[in-house]
Amino acid sequence: MEIPISLIDSLMGTQGFDKEAFEKVHLSGEQNTSIRFNNRKSVNSSNIFPIGNNNEAVVISPVLWNVNGCYLSERPSFTADPLFHGGAYYVQEASSMFLEEAVMQSIELAEPIRVLDLCAAPGGKSTLLQSLISDKSILVSNEVIKSRVTILSENITKWGADNVIVTNNDPKDFQRLPGYFDLIVVDAPCSGSGLFRKDPKAINEWSEQNVELCSQRQQRILADILPALKPGGTLIYSTCSYSPAEDEEICDWLISNCALSAIQFQLKSAWNIIETKAPLSNANGYRFYPDKLKGEGFFIAAFRKENSAETDSRPLSAKGKSERLTSKETEVVKPWLSKVDDFFFIKQHDEVIAIPLHMENDLAIFQSALYIKKAGVKLGVIIRNELIPAHELALSNIINPLISAIEVDKATALQYLRKQEISLSSNAKGWILITYLQIRLGWVKVLPNRINNYYPKDWRIINK
Ligand code: SAM
């Protein structure tokens, strides 16, 4: 693996850069696989592994900077693991799991907060943020590229959260929400050099010119989004690029152009994360080098918006209107939920959606300001006073735990996920949840003479 000379040149003399070790680790062919458990779905890591087609992967060690993260002995076929489909964990590169520390060290999480993950697809940082925030907080998970919103929504659905709103907006659109968010995470599109080991083809696409274009785009994105950050709020900026032009120089740009001050993190020496100082402002940044720790190239920095920063204080319009359920319809959905009084219910194209009550005002504001792709949890469609339950409800954490479920073995779970016919040894009738190692995978309807598999067609496993 030949690292571009101009990338090496741009790193010479920077804090923590060791040319020889850096080149060696890129030649080593070493690959790490790491996953992060879903702390709101009760999984016991010792009973879920080994996984993969041939039971090839086992947990070998924890990720030092994330309590839910761990490394696997090798990369298994995640498609062949039913727990992956049930949202029991997310496959995530270990360095980027440091976002957890960055958030915990820069904002009070016990309070209800409003969080925006601006560049969110496919959802790695959003699922991590959702695991961290309190139930009364809100996460807006946004992706500007329309074709990438589907996978983002799917991953948020699997995660089972009710307090996430998925939007498809340009960063500029958030200027309609001045001073709104307590925390904004910008995991910026970048030149990607930090992931050369995972995707060697990316080396051919790397150029100094592209680094410059990325740097300009990062500034544009940040300038567009900062008005939406509350005075006193936190901005977290990250990239998977090594280039100072996309990392420390962006920190300098933020400090000199926006009313921000850098936040310093407390690091444990065992983590081997390199703290850097931006050349002009001395702002703190944090670099992850694969020759120093078990993870890929990553950069992260956090900032506080000054309390005195100017904010547009015009009242926000909250014109969002949604069709509400009749009281009769509400009675139909009640038995399906665990804490029914915590929600209000809306109807969209006949589908009933449960939204946490604490999000009522925010949702109305977002409806007039943003393009919402998903909010709350879809419960299903009411037909003749009966709920036909949605897949989202099966995967969500708001479902009534008393709803009938049948635990299946791995072979049956995979048949189910392929949307094939399955047979069950149970006398239960009607709508039944299929679970594997207690993780819910979806619905079947058991009729007197057959079992209908309700796994969504678009989600089914299609390889062998
Ligand atoms: N945060 C994601 C995660 O952890 O799974 C990864 C995000 S990826 C590094 C950057 C994202 O920014 C991509 O999804 C990309 O589509 C989006 N993006 C590209 N151009 C953008 C722009 N001009 N403004 C905002 N986001 C952009």
Side-chain angles (χ1 to χ4, degrees), residues 119-125 143-145 148 171 187-189 217 221:
C119 312
K125 309 286 184 310
E143 169 57 44
V144 64
I145 297 178
R148 290 171 60 82
D187 186 32
R217 182 168 53 180
I221 292 173

Side-chain angles (χ1 to χ4, degrees), residues 186-321:
V186 178
D187 186 32
C190 69
S191 62
S193 47
L195 298 181
F196 278 171
R197 293 200 311 168
K198 279 203 176 299
D199 180 15
K201 285 197 303 286
I203 297 186
N204 302 330
E205 285 155 31
W206 189 94
S207 68
E208 278 178 292
Q209 202 186 7
N210 191 36
V211 167
E212 189 44 40
L213 284 176
C214 287
S215 171
Q216 285 165 13
R217 182 168 53 180
Q218 287 148 1
Q219 290 170 27
R220 248 189 345 262
I221 292 173
L222 289 163
D224 284 344
I225 202 60
L226 274 166
L229 184 63
K230 223 181 233 176
T234 303
L235 167 74
I236 296 182
Y237 172 78
S238 61
T239 72
C240 55
S241 162
Y242 293 113
S243 295
E246 299 178 75
D247 297 341
E248 286 84 1
E249 289 171 30
I250 294 290
C251 297
D252 270 344
W253 179 86
L254 278 168
I255 299 281
S256 58
N257 291 282
C258 315
L260 296 173
S261 51
I263 297 175
Q264 184 171 27
F265 299 140
Q266 302 300 315
L267 300 180
K268 291 194 177 146
S269 58
W271 295 348
N272 267 339
I273 297 165
I274 301 293
E275 183 178 83
T276 62
K277 301 272 183 206
L280 302 178
S281 62
N282 247 357
N284 315 83
Y286 298 87
R287 281 184 172 256
F288 293 66
Y289 281 114
D291 50 284
K292 297 194 161 51
L293 45 75
K294 210 168 166 175
E296 301 309 306
F298 184 62
F299 176 84
I300 191 163
F303 303 86
R304 176 109 39 245
K305 189 170 183 175
E306 286 165 13
N307 272 311
S308 55
E310 256 176 54
T311 317
D312 183 346
S313 55
R314 272 174 302 171
L316 292 169
S317 90
K319 285 200 214 104
K321 276 239 162 68

